[in-house]
Amino acid sequence: MTAADDNSHAALLAQSVGDFVKRGADLPRVRALAQSHAEFDRAQWRQLAELGWLGVLAPESCGGLGLGLAEAAIVAEGLGRALTPEPYTAVAVLAARTLEYAADTSLRNELLGGLVGGEGVPVVACHEQADDVAAVRITTTATPFEGGFRVNGQKQFVIGAVGADGYIISAKAAGELQLLWIPRDAAGCDTGLIPLADGRSYGTVTLKDVAVPRDHVLASGKAARGALARALDHAAVIASAELVGVMKCAHEMSIEYMKTRVQFGKAIGSFQVLQHRAVDLYIQQELADAVLREVVTQLDATPDDNTRALHASRAKSRCAEAALAITRAAIQFHGAIGFTEDCDVGLYVKRAMTLSAWLGNGRAHRVRYAQQSMRAAGEAA
C-alpha cells in the first residue's frame, strides 16, 4: 500500500466517523445521557460494533479487523470531538488488547468475539492507587481454592464499569500476577459508581471471597504482566487521541465565537491580543497532534517494552496538557457565557479534565518518562 493509499484510507475512516456523530451521536445526546445518569447507550454501542470500530484492534480470528493504533486513533479522535460517552478506549482498546495478548483460550476468544460484536462489554479493573500509572502496586489477592481462586481486594478508577458485563481483574497469587475474568454478577463482586465532572462515572469494584474457576484465568506471571503493560500503554495513546479530538473542537468553537462576538463595535477576533493567544494555543494543538501521529506509528511497529512506555508517556503528557490549556482558554474566549451550563464549550473542559486524569495525568507521565529514560541510559552504560 502506498502513502497515498494510506492517506486515502485514513481520510475515508475519519469522514465515516464524522458522518456517524452528525447523525445523532452529538452534544444533545451527551446532555440527555448525563441528565439521565445513563451514560451508556446499548443501541449506540451496537452501532459502533456494526461499523466495525469495536473490532479495529481485535484479531481477525475473533471477528475483528486486525488493524493498528493509527486506525483506532482516528476513530477515537472523531468520537472525542463529539464527546461520545460510550467507553470506546476502555473496551475496544484496553480490554481488547489485554485479551488479545492473553492466553489463547476458549474464554478469551469468546470474550473478544462478544466485544467485537457489541454483545459483551468486558472492562479492565487493574488500578488501586491514583499515582500508579502502570498498575503494578497490587494488593488484591487470589488465594488457591478448590481448583480455582478466592479473590479479595478493591479496584478503583474503572472507566466503563456502568455498562460492564464483567471485569478483567489483576490479582497476586503467591507473588505472581494473575489476570482473571469475573462476571459482574458473581457472588461477592460489588460495583460502586463515583460521578465524574463530565457526567460519566468511575467504577469501584469490591471483591469479597469471589470464587474464580481455573478456566477463568486469562494469563499468569510474565504473560499477564506483558499483556497488561502493553494494553495500558496502547490505551493511554488512544485516550490521547480522544484528547486531540476534544481540543480541536473546543478551539474551533472559540475561533467561530470570536468571529461573531462584537465588543466596542468590532468582532473580538480582530483584537491582536486574542489573535496571539489563539495562535499560541493552535501551535500547542498541532504539536500534540504531531506527537500523537508519530507515537502511533512507532507503537504499530511493536517496539521493545521500554521504548513503548516512553512513547506512550510522551503522547499522554503532551496531549493532556494541551487539551487542558486549550479548553480552559476556550472558556475565557467565550467570556461570561462560557461559565454557564448551557454553553457547550464547558462540556469540553469537563471531558478534558477526566480524560487527562485517566491512566495517568501529564505530570505522572512526565515522571514515568524520566524514570524510563534513566533506566534505558543505565542499561546502555
Side-chain angles (χ1 to χ4, degrees):
M1 181 178 287
T2 66
D5 291 332
D6 281 338
N7 291 335
S8 175
H9 168 74
L12 287 172
L13 181 57
Q15 182 181 348
S16 177
V17 180
D19 291 343
F20 171 76
V21 299
K22 288 177 183 177
R23 293 195 304 267
D26 50 14
L27 296 186
R29 187 184 78 93
V30 172
R31 288 187 180 278
L33 284 174
Q35 290 170 3
S36 67
H37 304 290
E39 180 179 340
F40 194 99
D41 185 341
R42 285 280 181 176
Q44 193 82 343
W45 190 251
R46 285 192 291 271
Q47 287 187 44
L48 295 178
E50 290 168 4
L51 290 164
W53 298 340
L54 299 185
V56 166
L57 296 177
E60 294 181 41
S61 59
C62 295
L65 300 179
L67 298 175
L69 291 174
E71 289 79 11
I74 292 171
V75 175
E77 180 180 331
L79 297 178
R81 291 179 69 96
L83 303 182
T84 303
E86 283 76 22
Y88 175 79
T89 301
V91 178
V93 181
L94 181 54
R97 279 306 205 207
T98 303
L99 290 168
E100 179 185 352
Y101 300 139
D104 187 1
T105 64
S106 59
L107 174 62
R108 171 259 198 185
N109 294 335
E110 178 186 340
L111 291 172
L112 264 176
L115 185 161
V116 171
E119 300 161 359
V121 185
V123 172
V124 176
C126 59
H127 286 96
E128 299 181 11
Q129 300 179 35
D131 60 345
D132 184 17
V133 174
V136 294
R137 296 201 290 274
I138 298 171
T139 60
T140 300
T141 59
T143 306
F145 178 78
E146 294 183 359
F149 294 102
R150 288 283 186 186
V151 182
N152 288 275
Q154 188 176 78
K155 299 297 182 180
Q156 306 278 355
F157 320 118
V158 185
I159 285 285
V162 69
D165 299 318
Y167 304 105
I168 302 168
I169 297 286
S170 58
K172 288 288 185 68
E176 285 288 350
L177 182 67
Q178 308 288 329
L179 292 179
L180 311 170
W181 171 249
I182 297 179
R184 185 191 186 105
D185 58 0
C189 178
D190 180 67
T191 302
L193 298 176
I194 300 174
L196 296 174
D198 66 351
R200 299 184 301 165
S201 304
Y202 270 152
T204 298
V205 182
T206 303
L207 307 162
K208 294 182 179 179
D209 286 329
V210 179
V212 179
R214 182 69 63 177
D215 60 3
H216 277 207
V217 178
L218 296 167
S220 301
K222 183 178 180 180
R225 292 194 299 274
L228 188 58
R230 290 174 70 183
L232 284 169
D233 283 337
H234 289 183
V237 171
I238 302 305
S240 301
E242 283 194 67
L243 284 165
V244 167
V246 169
M247 72 176 81
K248 283 183 177 180
C249 196
H251 198 52
E252 290 166 7
M253 292 168 67
S254 297
I255 299 301
E256 287 302 311
Y257 183 77
M258 290 165 64
K259 291 177 181 177
T260 58
R261 175 71 170 92
V262 175
Q263 193 170 20
F264 307 118
K266 295 182 179 180
I268 63 173
S270 65
F271 300 159
Q272 195 173 62
V273 66
L274 294 183
Q275 292 176 355
H276 287 177
R277 179 64 172 148
V279 170
D280 287 343
L281 293 169
Y282 180 75
I283 291 172
Q284 293 304 313
Q285 171 189 298
E286 291 301 291
L287 285 172
D289 195 19
V291 168
L292 174 66
R293 291 174 184 274
E294 180 182 351
V295 165
V296 296
T297 300
Q298 294 293 331
L299 263 62
D300 276 336
T302 61
D304 61 76
D305 291 349
N306 193 66
T307 303
R308 184 196 67 239
L310 284 169
H311 283 308
S313 286
R314 179 183 170 215
K316 187 60 167 32
S317 177
R318 169 67 72 174
C319 292
E321 296 297 327
L324 289 173
I326 289 169
T327 54
R328 287 169 178 168
I331 293 283
Q332 297 169 352
F333 284 136
H334 280 74
I337 194 174
F339 289 89
T340 66
E341 271 304 309
D342 292 335
C343 184
D344 288 338
V345 75
L347 300 176
Y348 286 84
V349 178
K350 294 172 182 178
R351 179 59 58 86
M353 289 169 59
T354 58
L355 269 178
S356 296
W358 184 50
L359 301 178
N361 60 23
R363 179 183 177 280
H365 276 284
R366 286 193 294 275
V367 170
R368 184 185 184 225
Y369 186 94
Q371 293 172 340
Q372 295 292 123
S373 297
M374 292 174 62
R375 183 177 304 164
E379 292 173 354

